[in-house]
């Protein structure tokens, strides 16, 4: 192996040697502990240490790295305390996730590391978000993110590279090409010869390096980072390497030809660098053994610290509380009495504009939202007011933009991501339910992202522009869900959502945008998230609903004056106002839960079950659910009207009142 010493001092070379030796010695110790049952699982990076160590040592301490499960050298090179790192491996509370996640599935802002999730690809966009935040702050920094050759087959890889190229983000995409995605060889993963062939397709530079040569990795990343800081742009680096052990220890290596192990054993990154340093007289055997003994003692000291820590005791209150960033919302009243008649869509726009003025760290992202103003014209004129840096058109890449939102949060930015239609969120589902929703619970990183969701049927738009999909997210702890039904609530709740540091799905019914108007305060104000609103007081039947359902209930109230309706608008679906629901049940003893979403598995099912469990003694009859048919949303207006629950409301009310 050819090591080019260039201008390195002996001290620098010894520091690199110590850095590459540390993860190797830790791994060798972990493999023993694995056999002893003292760690539960291990993903070995033996044979690949040069990439992690060379990359981490080449960057500045305040530049973020996003590693995978074979990048132990990133953590050790960033001086993560070994006692705490080993506690993480053992699921102890003193680890970085309080025992909630596995070995390298964590981050540490103190060490400028954002850890992976098992889905691999989503973290590439998170790196884009960190880099975007640095770019907006005009900081000369670079972000480095790892991907394996297998993970690069995911759509998230394409989306992240494409956005980084279009936005000229200072990101180094480090591809560790070890020949296999678990057991699947590269020729079954992609049909190009090298990963660097993909660079020109995205309009970005691409380099290929020997991933087992720590000096080549270090020098390449150091020079690339220096250049990118001065001239922001992405770079793809393909590091050729080999995994000397299984994907994880239980999977073995029988699928790998033996001659490959023999070939790559001769290129072992630790042994070859060690030999080079001895040949160059940078190290002597005595000094080398002294370094090993020092590292060995540090490992044992860290292990003893971790072993001495007991396994965590479950605390239900703490577990539930840690799903969210603590936030004590104080509702803000308008500063003056000024009010103006505004449509629902104008109230949304008003909130965005005033929140952009209030929070200079807030960035808006979405398809066609800049000069065009979005398909519903919510952000029309925003580019003139706030500039294109803060009002950003995006490529068609829902997953990447949502991941960018999390990355922006890492750098203390706020993000609003507009789904052009709520239906399209399925293309970014994993980022929401696995990254945004779980990051605070896992390692304390909040996700300050509001996802605006134009939703709902009634406009003959067919199955893919009409879905009510709020229930998709209702089952995901860590998210908040808001669904206002009036202009007043829309403005106050959107302002509140943008103030809140937690991830919020904000649903807006498209059919309400220009069909309803209301006098609302001109000034900035917020409404408490999680509080329902009583729309009408009555004594015969309580209708618990939200969104368009509120307007159906109000219309029914006008058409059926013989029935005294009590109408409760939930407004917030997660959390939802249990006290208000209980009061509505007590008010009439008869309850209908109404929503536009399909019946089976809808939010109404959870509310009805809760009423049955907690308010049974208050009921005079069974709780009735009314919702759309369990079909896709049809296109033809006669079919769509039959699909929606509005046509079945009178019949259901007659049944309830006759009980």
């Amino acid at each position: 192996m050819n090591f080019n010493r260039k201008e390195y001092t002996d001290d620098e070379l010894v520091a690199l040697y110590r850095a590459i030796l540390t993860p190797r010695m830790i791994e060798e110790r972990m493999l023993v502990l694995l056999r002893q049952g003292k760690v539960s699982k291990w993903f070995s990076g033996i044979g690949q240490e040069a990439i992690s160590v060379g990359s981490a040592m080449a960057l500045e301490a305040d530049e973020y790295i996003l590693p995978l499960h074979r990048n132990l050298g990133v953590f050790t090179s960033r001086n993560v305390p070994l006692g705490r790192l080993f506690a993480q491996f053992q699921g102890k509370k003193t680890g970085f996730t309080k025992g909630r996640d596995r070995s390298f599935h964590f981050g540490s802002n103190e060490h400028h590391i954002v850890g992976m999730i098992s889905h691999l690809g989503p973290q590439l966009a998170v790196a884009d978000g960190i880099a975007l935040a640095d770019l907006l702050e005009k900081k000369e920094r670079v972000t480095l993110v790892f991907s394996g050759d297998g993970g690069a087959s995911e759509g998230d890889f394409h989306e992240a590279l494409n956005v980084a190229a279009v936005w000229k983000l200072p990101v180094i995409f480090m591809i560790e090409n070890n020949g296999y995605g678990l057991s699947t060889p590269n020729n079954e993963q992609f049909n190009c010869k090298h990963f660097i062939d993909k660079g020109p397709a995205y309009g970005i530079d691409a380099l290929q390096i020997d991933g087992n040569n720590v000096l080549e990795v270090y020098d390449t990343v150091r020079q690339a980072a220096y250049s990118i800081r001065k001239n922001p742009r992405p770079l793809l680096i393909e590091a050729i390497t080999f995994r000397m052990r299984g994907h994880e220890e239980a999977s073995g290596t029988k699928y790998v030809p033996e001659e490959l192990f023999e070939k790559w054993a001769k290129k072992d990154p630790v042994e070859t660098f060690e030999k080079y340093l001895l040949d160059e007289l940078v190290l002597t055997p005595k000094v080398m053994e002294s370094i090993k003994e020092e590292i060995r003692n540090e490992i044992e000291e860290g292990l003893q610290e971790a072993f001495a820590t007991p396994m965590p005791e479950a605390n239900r209150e703490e577990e539930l509380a840690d799903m969210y960033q603590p936030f004590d919302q104080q509702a803000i009243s308008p500063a003056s009495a000024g009010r103006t008649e505004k449509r629902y869509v104008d109230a949304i726009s008003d909130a965005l504009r005033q929140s952009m003025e209030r929070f200079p760290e807030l960035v808006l992202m979405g398809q066609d939202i800049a000069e065009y103003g979005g398909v519903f014209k919510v952000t029309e004129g925003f580019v003139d007011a706030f500039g294109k840096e803060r009002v950003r058109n995006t490529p068609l890449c829902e997953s990447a933009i949502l991941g960018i939102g999390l990355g922006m949060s890492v750098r203390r930015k706020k993000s609003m991501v507009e789904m052009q239609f709520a239906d399209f969120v399925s293309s970014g589902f994993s980022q929401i339910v696995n990254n945004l929703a779980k990051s605070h619970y896992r390692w304390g990183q909040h996700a300050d992202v509001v996802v605006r969701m134009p939703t709902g049927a009634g406009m003959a738009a067919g199955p893919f522009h009409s879905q009510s999909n709020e229930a998709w997210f209702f089952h995901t702890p860590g998210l908040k869900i808001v669904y206002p039904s009036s202009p007043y609530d829309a403005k106050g709740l959107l302002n509140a959502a943008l103030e809140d540091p937690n991830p919020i799905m904000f649903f807006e019914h498209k059919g309400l945008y220009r069909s309803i108007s209301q006098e609302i305060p001109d000034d900035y104000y917020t409404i408490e998230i999680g509080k329902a609103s009583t729309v009408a007081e009555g004594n015969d039947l309580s209708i618990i609903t939200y969104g368009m359902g509120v307007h159906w209930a109000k219309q029914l109230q006008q058409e059926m004056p013989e029935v005294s309706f009590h109408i409760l608008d939930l407004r917030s679906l997660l959390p939802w106002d249990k006290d208000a629901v209980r009061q509505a049940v007590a008010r009439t003893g008869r309850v209908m839960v109404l929503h536009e979403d399909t019946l089976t598995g809808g939010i109404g099912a959870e509310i009805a079950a809760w009423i049955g469990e907690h308010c049974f003694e208050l009921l005079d009859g069974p709780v009735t659910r009314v919702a759309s048919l369990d079909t896709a949303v049809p296109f033809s207006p006669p079919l769509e009207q039959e699909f929606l629950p509005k046509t079945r409301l009178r019949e259901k009310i007659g049944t309830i009142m006759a009980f």
Side-chain angles (χ1 to χ4, degrees), residues 58 66-67 111 121 181 184 194 349 364 466 504 544 631-632 637:
L66 290 82
H111 302 94
T184 304
H194 302 291
S349 183
L364 313 183
S466 308
I504 297 181
I544 298 168
T631 70

Side-chain angles (χ1 to χ4, degrees), residues 103-225:
S103 52
F104 298 110
H105 292 220
F106 72 92
S108 169
N109 285 314
E110 177 186 354
H111 302 94
H112 291 84
I113 295 172
V114 176
M116 61 177 290
I117 63 172
S118 296
H119 303 67
L120 306 178
Q123 74 175 31
L124 297 165
V126 179
D128 282 355
I130 296 171
L132 175 59
D134 287 338
L135 201 63
L136 293 175
E137 292 293 323
K138 295 179 171 52
K139 302 290 187 183
E140 292 187 356
R141 289 193 288 233
V142 65
T143 300
L144 188 145
V145 59
F146 286 86
S147 173
D149 45 297
S153 295
E154 294 186 315
D156 284 295
F157 178 84
H158 160 72
E159 291 194 14
L161 264 69
N162 188 53
V163 175
V166 172
W167 288 356
K168 293 182 171 53
L169 300 177
V171 182
I172 296 174
F173 296 94
M174 178 64 72
I175 314 302
E176 296 180 292
N177 186 352
N178 63 22
Y180 288 85
L182 206 156
S183 70
T184 304
N186 278 354
N187 63 355
E188 296 179 24
Q189 288 278 2
F190 51 86
N191 198 33
C192 54
K193 189 173 181 181
H194 302 291
F195 269 96
I196 53 173
D197 297 337
K198 300 186 179 189
Y202 294 102
I204 66 177
D205 292 331
L207 303 173
Q208 187 181 83
I209 59 175
D210 180 355
N212 282 32
N213 185 328
V214 68
L215 287 185
E216 185 173 341
V217 175
Y218 177 75
D219 195 52
T220 301
V221 173
R222 185 174 63 165
Q223 290 186 47

Side-chain angles (χ1 to χ4, degrees), residues 344-345 347-349 351-352 364-367 369 373-379 382 402 415-425 432 449-455 469 482 490 494-495 497-498 504-510 513:
Y344 189 101
V345 67
I348 295 289
S349 183
L352 282 177
L364 313 183
M365 296 179 283
Q367 296 162 21
I369 72 165
V375 295
F376 298 106
K377 302 303 179 185
V378 170
T379 53
F382 276 43
L402 290 161
S415 301
M416 185 288 298
V417 178
E418 178 186 297
M419 292 293 116
Q420 195 169 75
F421 291 85
D423 314 63
F424 300 165
V425 77
I432 294 173
V449 182
V450 173
V451 185
R452 287 185 44 244
M453 301 277 283
T455 188
N469 51 10
V482 178
L494 182 53
N495 279 333
L498 292 164
I504 297 181
M505 308 301 294
F506 193 91
F507 286 83
E508 309 160 9
H509 201 292
K510 304 185 298 291
Y513 274 153

